[in-house]
């Protein structure tokens, strides 16, 4: 592990262009400006470790919430329940396949008080059960250009979800998405991801390695709390 904690964050704004959340992003010493991810679950675990142990929620998020990407392994793990549910949004990556087990897990997390979001998403009936569970749907404007969004927005209308436009690069895109009913916005038009860094204490290294290993091994909550 390096001599510093690193974590990226990009603001998420509301319709009044006020920051309401940050997406938290994996960063490593050799790739401060972009994510070099060999293992998505390990990257998510690293974000969790750095958020909780390296910086603390308050230092990274202030009064706002943090969006954290989750692959299936971490999503299904009880380890994520160490996260403060009122401060985070669990972001389900587009690579996840919809299965009865996934739907049941998401339903259970929502019942526990977690907020869930679908990442890089385009409407598909196969997700119908999840549309009634998640609270936020992120629409990537690179994958779903503004010119063809109106029909998709209409198809989401029956569901109790907020739409978040990500990769917003111009004011025109922001205004058009806002007019279509999007409530949240993220992209280079507002701000590029920034990297936060904090020096590591040498005696914390062994603890963090142990905690990350426990997270990746789906350890019991009691074991994590005692680590």
């Amino acid at each position: 592990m390096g001599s510093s904690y690193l974590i990226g964050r990009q603001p998420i704004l509301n319709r009044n262009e006020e920051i309401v959340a940050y997406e938290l992003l994996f960063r490593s010493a050799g790739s401060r400006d972009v994510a070099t991810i060999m293992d998505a679950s390990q990257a998510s675990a690293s974000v969790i470790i750095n958020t909780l142990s390296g910086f603390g929620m308050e230092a990274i998020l202030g009064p706002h919430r943090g969006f954290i990407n989750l692959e299936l392994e971490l999503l299904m793990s009880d380890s994520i329940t160490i996260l403060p549910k009122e401060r985070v949004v669990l972001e389900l990556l587009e690579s996840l396949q919809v299965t009865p087990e996934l739907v049941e897990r998401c339903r259970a997390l929502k019942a526990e008080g977690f907020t869930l979001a679908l990442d890089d998403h385009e409407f598909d009936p196969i997700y119908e059960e999840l549309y009634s569970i998640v609270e936020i749907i992120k629409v990537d404007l690179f994958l779903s250009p503004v010119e063809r969004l109106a029909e998709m927005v209409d198809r989401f209308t029956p569901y109790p979800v907020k739409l978040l436009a990500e990769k917003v690069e111009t004011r025109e895109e922001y205004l058009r998405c806002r007019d279509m009913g999007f409530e949240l916005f993220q992209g280079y038009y507002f701000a590029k991801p920034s990297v936060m860094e904090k020096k590591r204490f040498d005696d914390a290294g062994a603890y963090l390695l142990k905690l990350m290993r426990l997270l990746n091994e789906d350890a019991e909550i009691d074991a994590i709390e005692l680590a």
Side-chain angles (χ1 to χ4, degrees), residues 3-169:
S3 60
S4 300
Y5 300 104
L6 293 174
I7 193 165
R9 66 175 193 176
Q10 186 175 28
I12 294 170
L13 298 91
N14 62 15
R15 293 170 62 86
N16 296 321
E17 300 183 62
E18 301 165 333
I19 295 175
V20 293
Y22 290 97
E23 180 168 5
L24 301 181
L25 306 162
F26 171 76
R27 290 293 183 265
S28 61
S31 57
R32 293 173 59 94
D33 297 325
V34 295
T36 302
I37 298 175
M38 303 301 292
D39 182 310
S41 289
Q42 187 170 356
S44 295
S46 178
V47 168
I48 293 170
I49 297 292
N50 287 355
T51 301
L52 293 179
S53 300
F55 296 90
M57 283 286 182
E58 200 63 33
I60 294 179
L61 298 174
H64 310 304
R65 293 198 293 177
F67 283 58
I68 298 176
N69 292 320
L70 293 179
E71 281 280 6
L72 183 63
E73 181 182 359
L74 270 179
L75 180 69
M76 302 301 287
S77 166
D78 287 341
S79 302
I80 61 172
T81 58
I82 67 172
L83 291 168
K85 58 181 69 74
E86 71 282 356
R87 301 302 310 276
V88 299
V89 176
L90 306 180
E91 216 174 304
L92 281 61
L93 294 179
E94 67 279 8
S95 57
L96 295 179
Q97 294 186 339
V98 180
T99 64
E101 293 76 17
L102 176 69
V103 171
E104 184 58 34
R105 176 60 171 157
C106 290
R107 188 173 286 118
L109 288 169
K110 181 175 182 178
E112 290 180 28
F114 282 98
T115 299
L116 286 85
L118 290 175
D119 189 31
D120 293 350
H121 193 73
E122 292 188 294
F123 182 90
D124 189 323
I126 197 172
Y127 289 89
E128 186 168 6
E129 284 187 278
L130 286 177
Y131 293 153
S132 298
I133 299 172
V134 303
E135 295 182 33
I136 298 166
I137 292 177
K138 300 184 73 173
V139 178
D140 186 326
L141 297 192
F142 284 6
L143 301 176
S144 308
V146 172
E147 292 73 23
R148 60 184 181 86
L149 278 184
E151 180 183 353
M152 183 163 62
V153 170
D154 286 343
R155 299 182 77 177
F156 283 126
T157 301
Y159 303 99
V161 296
K162 293 182 179 180
L163 297 181
L164 186 159
E166 58 178 336
K167 294 191 174 70
V168 178
E169 300 224 321

Side-chain angles (χ1 to χ4, degrees), residues 170-181:
T170 67
R171 183 159 188 82
E172 179 185 6
E173 288 179 339
Y174 158 64
L175 292 175
R176 290 180 68 179
C177 287
R178 191 180 69 175
D179 289 345
M180 278 187 275

